Amino acid sequence: MSGILYGVGLGPGDPELMTLKAHRLISTARVIAYPSPDTGESFARSIAAAAIPADAIEIPIEIPMRVERFPAQSVYDAAAAGIGGHLIAGRDVVVLCEGDPFFYGSFMYLFGRLSEQHRVEVVPGVTSLTACAALAGQPLCARNEVLSVLPGPMSDDDLVQRLHQTQAVAILKVGRHLPRLRQLIRAEGLADRAIYVSHASLPNQKVMPLADAPEDAPYFSMILIGGQDPYAVS
């Protein structure tokens, strides 16, 4: 009988924000896979470290952390083949996913390769989006407002068009794009509503008005632009 593939959301970083189901699956896992940079510690593994059994088989999925493109297809092809071997042998595999597996999560690439041949269960996690909003103390949107989630690397023209079509915005993957994004948001007259958050839920978390954000932002940072008046009751 084939094993089950679990895509387990870990939340934004604080181990206490893992769900009870995520903790149970990790603490009883025989095989655990997780994304890992080519240098340094795996962030996903560090979140779940206290729950990982000492005798679990670990499968690091090495993903180069660099600006230039890398052969991503071959990385996930190889990871799917290794994980698939354990599933065929009847062993369940838990894949650790930062945040939520299906919210900009790399687990979707394993899901696409393995879900037709094997049973897959996705365990949702607290997303960076909601974690940042909680830390900022800012409701994302209310009533009939539209929330748009935009990736920072989008072109200026596309970003401006989206900003004109929505009432509340979350810009992810800010990183090196912060100076450009700050200038664009200021030009659109939205700077007074914009909040910068980085490393939400971690000891080095930061939250401040976008105007005060550092020039050199980490990848795990976000810009939130809330709706016009979330506290008004219609």
Side-chain angles (χ1 to χ4, degrees):
M1 183 177 178
S2 177
I4 302 172
L5 176 63
Y6 293 96
V8 176
L10 300 173
D14 181 352
E16 291 189 341
L17 291 178
M18 279 195 295
T19 64
L20 292 173
K21 185 170 186 177
H23 189 278
R24 174 177 61 80
L25 289 170
I26 295 166
S27 62
T28 58
R30 296 172 61 193
V31 184
I32 292 182
Y34 48 82
S36 179
D38 44 2
T39 58
E41 181 184 24
S42 163
F43 180 45
R45 191 191 187 286
S46 71
I47 298 172
I52 297 175
D55 59 349
I57 299 170
E58 299 192 25
I59 306 175
I61 304 171
E62 190 172 291
I63 302 173
M65 296 292 145
R66 55 180 69 102
V67 175
E68 64 270 18
R69 296 182 66 85
F70 63 93
Q73 295 292 341
S74 62
V75 169
Y76 292 109
D77 286 345
I83 291 170
H86 286 285
L87 296 172
I88 291 171
R91 290 184 287 272
D92 295 345
V93 179
V94 171
V95 179
L96 306 180
C97 313
E98 301 155 14
D100 181 273
F102 278 174
F103 185 69
Y104 290 97
S106 58
F107 176 75
M108 68 181 69
Y109 306 124
L110 296 174
F111 180 88
R113 287 165 168 78
L114 294 167
S115 58
E116 290 187 3
Q117 296 82 30
H118 304 281
R119 178 180 167 190
V120 182
E121 293 188 14
V122 177
V123 179
V126 175
T127 69
S128 58
L129 176 61
T130 50
C132 286
L135 177 60
Q138 175 173 292
L140 291 169
C141 51
R143 299 179 301 282
N144 294 325
E145 290 179 334
V146 175
L147 169 67
S148 293
V149 180
L150 309 176
M154 287 180 69
S155 71
D156 286 2
D157 289 344
D158 287 343
L159 282 167
V160 169
Q161 181 180 2
R162 297 282 185 172
L163 289 173
H164 290 171
Q165 295 173 344
T166 190
Q167 289 82 45
V169 179
I171 303 178
L172 284 65
K173 305 178 183 181
V174 171
R176 62 191 176 89
H177 301 280
L178 177 59
R180 175 179 66 89
L181 295 171
R182 176 161 40 200
Q183 183 177 359
L184 184 150
I185 291 169
R186 186 183 297 124
E188 292 301 311
L190 299 171
D192 60 334
R193 290 164 46 199
I195 295 178
Y196 167 86
V197 183
S198 71
H199 298 103
S201 83
L202 298 171
N204 57 336
Q205 65 187 13
K206 290 183 173 61
V207 55
M208 62 191 70
L210 178 60
D212 299 333
E215 288 295 313
D216 187 18
Y219 180 80
F220 290 108
S221 56
M222 187 179 301
I223 297 171
L224 297 176
I225 303 174
Q228 291 286 353
D229 188 3
Y231 305 111
V233 179
S234 57

